Amino acid sequence: MKVGQQFPLTIKRLGINGEGVGFFKRNVVFVKGAIPGEVVTAQVTKLSRSFAEAKIVKIREKSPHRQQAPCPVYEECGGCQLQHIRYEHQLVEKRDIVIQALERYAPQLLEQTEIHATLGMDEPWHYRNKSQFQVRKEGKRVYAGLFAAGTNQLLNINDCLVQHPVTSKITVATRKILQKLNIPIYDGKTLDGIIRTIVVRTGVKTGETQVVLVTTRKDIPHLEELMTRMLRIDPSIVSITQNINREKTGIIFGEETHLLHGKETIHETLGEFGFDLASRAFFQLNPTQTVILYNEIKKAAALTGKESVVDAYCGVGTIGLWLANEAQEVRGMDIVPESVQNARENAKKHGFTHAKYVTGKAEDVLARWQKQDFTPDVITVDPPRTGLTQSFITTVKKLRPSRLIYTSCNPSTLAKDLQDLSTLYEVTYIQPVDMFPQTSQVECVTLLTLK
């Protein structure tokens, strides 16, 4: 193959990033926007040693699951990958992405593990409760949005179809205020300017909204006027904070946060539980579907009231508190101090005196507790996309809890970790849950039982 070459290609599967996957002369070819079952004329755009990337020149045989993507910037944005596929079929393909991960990293588990159908949403639009839009300036105009896939070009986004409408409304109005007040905007090349990101999180159930201005330094010109105008945008705004990030990095938040107006936190509910969320505290981005996810975790935990439970990577304590009514004891840990503080406050507020939260790495804290003669019956984990650390897996194998419930947002790292854990645990089943409709991401709840 060579760049520019065209050939007919039958699309066999959907890749983990949402692209169609085909094979040409035994070479893997990834085709953005292609759907399994389609035959396309593909043109090679990039070659590497193990695969090629291509674009669609023509769809020769069209999938019955194809639709026109409703978002006007879908092709350029890259934030969503599956809007061109009807939603009911997105759920089918996400289950297959899980199967592919097992085929690649843990093939022996595929034959003995039940993989359930993906649990989807009744309304798969406007579900995200938090937006993080970069701010830039071209000429006199201020933009807020996302960078086009694989580029440094910022797309100005006025209405993101997967964001809660109030987050879009507040972001657009805030960037217009910044423009009118001529407040210096961050330049990603020169590193000059002040305002770099607008973060908006809203309580879907409570109607409370927090706005975070991420800046390069503490002093913001025209701050009083800025606050006055921002508070007029929407009555749901009860908290405005400033986070300072001086580093040249893709990470949104820095370590320093200051309250500019209102409360330090906003309140949100999940089921019967309420949570207070600080600016940097982790909280699920799709609270509607989170209830479905957490109920699956509870089902897998199968608690009787006699078990001690560890909620590793606990965030603000949501999963542990979800299980607390049916557990004898709950303990959790996280590396973000604000999250741990929120978890303690949330436990206290709900009257859970048998829930304890500490700051630290999960494996370090578990090892310390083991020395204090505490061994959990059940461990539930919801790690970042990189999966579990080897030291954490080693610690779990030493502790040998009877059940491990592994919630994962990355099928590839899940499959690798399951391969390792399967020496001691039976992988009972995997339940995919669609936390992010229109994207290629799929969450999984996996039950592992001690052999």
Side-chain angles (χ1 to χ4, degrees):
M1 286 188 292
K2 60 183 180 180
V3 173
Q5 183 179 352
Q6 295 187 15
F7 44 79
L9 189 70
T10 300
I11 306 301
K12 299 292 187 182
R13 308 191 92 159
L14 203 69
I16 198 166
N17 296 312
E19 65 283 85
V21 182
F23 299 89
F24 181 71
K25 296 182 178 179
R26 298 186 178 180
N27 294 300
V28 179
V29 183
F30 294 104
V31 187
K32 182 181 178 182
I35 302 175
E38 290 187 331
V39 179
V40 303
T41 299
Q43 183 178 39
V44 177
T45 56
K46 185 178 179 181
L47 282 173
S48 72
R49 291 179 62 184
S50 55
F51 64 90
E53 296 177 22
K55 65 179 181 180
I56 299 173
V57 175
K58 180 183 178 182
I59 300 175
R60 301 157 74 106
E61 294 181 24
K62 181 180 175 181
S63 168
H65 308 297
R66 178 175 286 279
Q67 66 176 9
Q68 179 66 38
C71 175
V73 294
Y74 173 63
E75 296 291 340
E76 297 88 359
C77 175
C80 297
Q81 301 83 40
L82 303 183
Q83 285 193 22
H84 62 289
I85 302 176
R86 297 185 193 280
Y87 184 60
E88 62 274 10
H89 194 67
Q90 290 182 28
L91 302 178
V92 174
E93 293 297 344
K94 290 192 177 192
R95 179 179 181 271
D96 190 63
I97 287 173
V98 178
I99 292 172
Q100 289 182 63
L102 288 177
E103 283 177 344
R104 182 171 184 184
Y105 298 110
Q108 85 285 358
L109 293 179
L110 190 59
E111 301 171 5
Q112 52 193 273
T113 303
E114 185 176 356
I115 303 173
H116 298 167
T118 309
L119 298 175
M121 293 190 73
D122 293 334
E123 178 48 61
W125 300 98
H126 294 298
Y127 57 83
R128 287 180 66 105
N129 63 354
K130 182 181 181 181
S131 62
Q132 300 180 143
F133 279 10
Q134 303 299 321
V135 186
R136 296 294 185 269
K137 192 172 186 178
E138 289 187 15
K140 293 185 178 180
R141 189 175 178 192
V142 174
Y143 292 94
L146 302 172
F147 290 107
T151 74
N152 291 320
Q153 178 192 350
L154 191 73
L155 293 172
N156 191 54
I157 298 175
N158 290 320
D159 180 22
C160 178
L161 297 182
V162 296
Q163 286 290 155
H164 190 286
V166 78
T167 67
S168 296
K169 173 187 175 182
I170 292 171
T171 301
V172 170
T174 299
R175 73 164 173 79
K176 289 180 178 179
I177 293 168
L178 293 170
Q179 180 175 307
K180 286 178 182 176
L181 295 179
N182 199 27
I183 294 174
I185 304 300
Y186 177 71
D187 187 313
K189 295 178 181 177
T190 66
L191 311 186
D192 293 333
I194 298 175
I195 310 291
R196 57 191 295 169
T197 313
I198 300 169
V199 180
V200 183
R201 175 155 61 186
T202 191
V204 173
K205 297 296 184 181
T206 65
E208 293 190 352
T209 300
Q210 182 177 68
V211 186
V212 187
L213 298 176
V214 182
T215 66
T216 57
R217 60 180 186 264
K218 191 173 189 301
D219 294 333
I220 302 175
H222 313 297
L223 181 59
E224 188 174 336
E225 180 66 15
L226 175 61
M227 292 299 100
T228 300
R229 296 193 184 197
M230 286 180 64
L231 289 168
R232 293 178 189 151
I233 296 172
D234 194 274
S236 70
I237 299 175
V238 297
S239 172
I240 302 176
T241 66
Q242 176 189 11
N243 178 268
I244 299 172
N245 185 353
R246 297 178 174 87
E247 305 300 320
K248 185 179 182 181
T249 174
I251 297 171
I252 299 294
F253 289 121
E255 296 295 322
E256 188 180 338
T257 303
H258 301 278
L259 181 66
L260 298 179
H261 175 83
K263 305 190 296 179
E264 293 275 2
T265 62
I266 61 167
H267 193 67
E268 177 61 309
T269 62
L270 287 176
E272 62 185 278
F273 299 106
F275 300 94
D276 292 311
L277 308 173
S279 304
R280 292 176 60 219
F282 171 78
F283 193 74
Q284 293 283 359
L285 293 169
N286 184 344
T288 302
Q289 197 72 340
T290 296
V291 173
I292 304 297
L293 180 76
Y294 287 179
N295 283 338
E296 288 300 319
I297 295 171
K298 179 181 280 192
K299 184 193 300 183
L303 301 176
T304 64
K306 299 177 181 179
E307 294 88 358
S308 57
V309 177
V310 163
D311 179 12
Y313 308 89
C314 68
V316 297
T318 48
I319 293 176
L321 298 184
W322 206 261
L323 304 177
N325 275 328
E326 297 171 9
Q328 187 177 74
E329 180 181 10
V330 174
R331 298 190 184 192
M333 73 288 285
D334 199 283
I335 59 172
V336 180
E338 296 99 319
S339 294
V340 171
Q341 183 60 33
N342 284 163
R344 290 170 179 163
E345 292 165 357
N346 289 328
K348 182 179 180 181
K349 181 171 55 185
H350 291 98
F352 292 133
T353 56
H354 64 311
K356 172 185 178 181
Y357 294 95
V358 299
T359 303
K361 290 184 178 179
E363 56 268 36
D364 296 341
V365 174
L366 280 170
R368 186 168 73 246
W369 284 341
Q370 187 182 28
K371 290 178 181 177
Q372 299 167 357
D373 293 326
F374 171 80
T375 301
D377 301 301
V378 177
I379 295 180
T380 177
V381 292
D382 187 5
R385 289 189 63 80
T386 49
L388 301 174
T389 63
Q390 187 58 51
S391 56
F392 180 83
I393 292 174
T394 301
T395 302
V396 168
K397 287 182 174 180
K398 286 180 182 177
L399 292 173
R400 298 170 65 90
S402 60
R403 288 187 296 288
L404 175 66
I405 297 96
Y406 188 160
T407 304
S408 168
C409 57
N410 185 339
S412 295
T413 54
L414 171 66
K416 292 175 187 176
D417 291 344
L418 293 182
Q419 171 74 7
D420 195 342
L421 289 161
S422 65
T423 58
L424 191 62
Y425 286 86
E426 176 188 348
V427 182
T428 308
Y429 66 80
I430 300 175
Q431 175 62 69
V433 181
D434 190 21
M435 295 294 290
F436 301 103
Q438 319 308 330
T439 79
S440 59
Q441 294 185 54
V442 56
E443 199 104 357
C444 293
V445 176
T446 303
L447 171 61
L448 297 98
T449 309
L450 190 64
K451 291 180 179 177

